Amino acid sequence: MAQIKCIGILTSGGDAPGMNAAIRAVTRSAIYAGFRVKGIYRGYRGLITDEIVEFKTQNVSNIIQQGGTILKTARCKEFTTPEGRKQAFDILQKEEIDALVVIGGDGSLTGARVFATEYNFPIVGLPGTIDNDLFGTDTTIGYDTALNTIMECVDKIRDTATSHERLFFIEVMGRDAGFLALNGAIATGAEAAIIPEISVEIDQLEELVKNGFRKSKNSSIVIVAESPITGGAMGLAERVKKEYPQYDVRVTILGHLQRGGSPSASDRILASRMGAAAIDALLEDQRNVMIGIRNDEIVYVPFFKAIKNDKPINRDLLNTLRRLSI
Ligand code: F6P
């Protein structure tokens, strides 16, 4: 394996709070270890179109507290084609970049894996997604901040739900994973969470709605994970309105505000540790691994495991939610 002298760094897919803290940690740890660093703008697209800038320590000053990503991000169709990846490889050679650190979610790490295998190119991934859906890591960069944002929003909705004695379906992100919905529900004392991992039949929904409106309660909040499997908050609300016209139902879709904001302390620390670990991994000659965290220890997770396996929902959490929402 040729010696690594210059490391390229990019963010890809949906942005997540803490990505900037990760960019800072990768850049500074790399420079500390004697590498050159190049920032690649707009994810894999910028790799193909050569939007690349040499990074010094000052390029990452004053960003640890900022949401979003200073490198910008994109979802790039061209990189899914062999022609697109060939263009990307040519640019890496031209820019004399010998290794990449890719910060992103499932789709971004899938692209990294394909490219790394095709060109025998060293890549280390950092799990940057609010969805927390990558296998092999207890948590992902951005998840904690998004969860806190959900909590603040739902607390506010609770005030109006209680005042009007309404049933609210609140939709949160997560693509096909229920981590944000389930833990968001526990954190806000919601009556239920509807997540793609657990199917909800109409009779269960009835029980859930009735439970929500027992005499001791005058409002009800159900957190719904976005997903074609759950039907989303709109779909569920429509079903409930039809079946139970006596309930005053409202829907809130939290949407992209969940991705914004200054990262929490947990996300800044996680991103800093993971960014530094990405450089350790390259120094240890690790290739094609995602940095994960398990029981507060940094671990290396091979790309194929992180991407291919479904991360399971902890069923104890469901049980806790059920017991606490009586
Ligand atoms: O993967 C992160 C995520 O925020 C998902 O939760 C959501 O389904 C998706 O990205 C939304 O993507 P976009 O910003 O392209 O609409």
Side-chain angles (χ1 to χ4, degrees), residues 159-202:
D159 292 342
T160 176
T162 311
S163 305
H164 284 270
E165 302 184 281
R166 281 174 170 159
L167 166 61
F168 265 84
F169 287 92
I170 302 175
E171 184 174 300
V172 300
M173 280 188 167
R175 214 178 287 262
D176 286 322
F179 297 98
L180 286 172
L182 183 52
N183 281 313
I186 292 176
T188 55
E191 278 57 44
I194 310 283
I195 58 175
E197 291 86 345
I198 313 282
S199 76
V200 178
E201 299 309 328
I202 192 81

Side-chain angles (χ1 to χ4, degrees), residues 27-312:
T27 303
R28 295 212 167 156
S29 308
I31 292 172
Y32 184 84
F35 296 118
R36 286 175 68 202
V37 178
K38 290 194 175 181
I40 302 162
Y41 284 82
R42 297 180 181 80
Y44 295 121
R45 181 166 308 148
L47 191 52
I48 292 172
T49 54
D50 199 1
E51 294 180 71
I52 300 176
V53 170
E54 175 109 23
F55 264 24
K56 303 288 180 200
T57 57
Q58 301 89 307
N59 287 83
V60 294
S61 292
N62 204 16
I63 64 167
I64 194 169
Q65 77 282 19
Q66 290 174 24
T69 158
I70 59 157
L71 283 175
K72 317 285 181 203
T73 186
R75 302 190 197 276
C76 176
K77 280 236 164 62
E78 298 93 296
F79 198 70
T80 61
T81 68
E83 298 75 31
R85 291 193 294 275
K86 169 77 173 68
Q87 275 173 290
F89 182 68
D90 291 345
I91 297 292
L92 285 172
Q93 288 203 304
K94 175 180 162 251
E95 292 281 349
E96 297 179 328
I97 295 173
D98 322 293
L100 276 179
V101 175
V102 171
I103 308 169
D106 195 55
S108 310
L109 298 190
T110 302
R113 185 193 173 200
V114 173
F115 184 80
T117 317
E118 216 164 43
Y119 289 96
N120 190 25
F121 197 87
I123 307 188
V124 171
L126 296 189
T129 168
I130 65 164
D131 300 344
N132 197 30
D133 59 348
L134 285 160
F135 182 88
T137 185
D138 291 342
T139 181
T140 56
I141 297 166
Y143 172 63
D144 181 68
T145 308
L147 203 49
N148 278 290
T149 302
I150 290 169
M151 187 180 74
E152 282 170 29
C153 294
V154 176
D155 285 350
K156 289 190 169 123
I157 293 170
R158 174 74 79 183
D159 292 342
T160 176
T162 311
S163 305
H164 284 270
E165 302 184 281
R166 281 174 170 159
L167 166 61
F168 265 84
F169 287 92
I170 302 175
E171 184 174 300
V172 300
M173 280 188 167
R175 214 178 287 262
D176 286 322
F179 297 98
L180 286 172
L182 183 52
N183 281 313
I186 292 176
T188 55
E191 278 57 44
I194 310 283
I195 58 175
E197 291 86 345
I198 313 282
S199 76
V200 178
E201 299 309 328
I202 192 81
D203 52 338
Q204 276 175 279
L205 194 62
E206 180 179 1
E207 195 187 307
L208 187 149
V209 171
K210 280 186 181 154
N211 277 350
F213 272 101
R214 281 181 339 279
K215 42 191 172 320
S216 59
K217 294 196 178 187
N218 68 357
S219 72
S220 209
I221 290 195
V222 178
I223 313 275
V224 187
E226 59 162 7
S227 160
I229 302 171
T230 62
M234 283 290 190
L236 277 167
E238 284 314 313
R239 275 166 71 187
V240 169
K241 271 191 217 164
K242 227 184 250 156
E243 302 268 333
Y244 315 100
Q246 68 274 31
Y247 296 130
D248 196 6
V249 177
R250 291 291 185 279
V251 172
T252 304
I253 296 174
L254 296 186
H256 285 80
L257 70 80
Q258 296 163 90
R259 288 226 300 250
S262 178
S264 66
S266 284
D267 273 329
R268 295 181 197 195
I269 295 164
L270 181 70
S272 299
R273 288 179 71 187
M274 286 183 161
I279 301 306
D280 291 341
L282 288 171
L283 286 168
E284 290 164 25
D285 222 20
Q286 292 282 338
R287 300 286 181 264
N288 311 333
V289 291
M290 178 191 84
I291 305 297
I293 194 150
R294 256 186 262 145
N295 301 322
D296 204 33
E297 297 275 344
I298 292 287
V299 291
Y300 302 146
V301 189
F303 278 155
F304 74 91
K305 280 197 183 165
I307 297 155
K308 278 268 173 284
N309 293 318
D310 279 339
K311 183 168 172 179

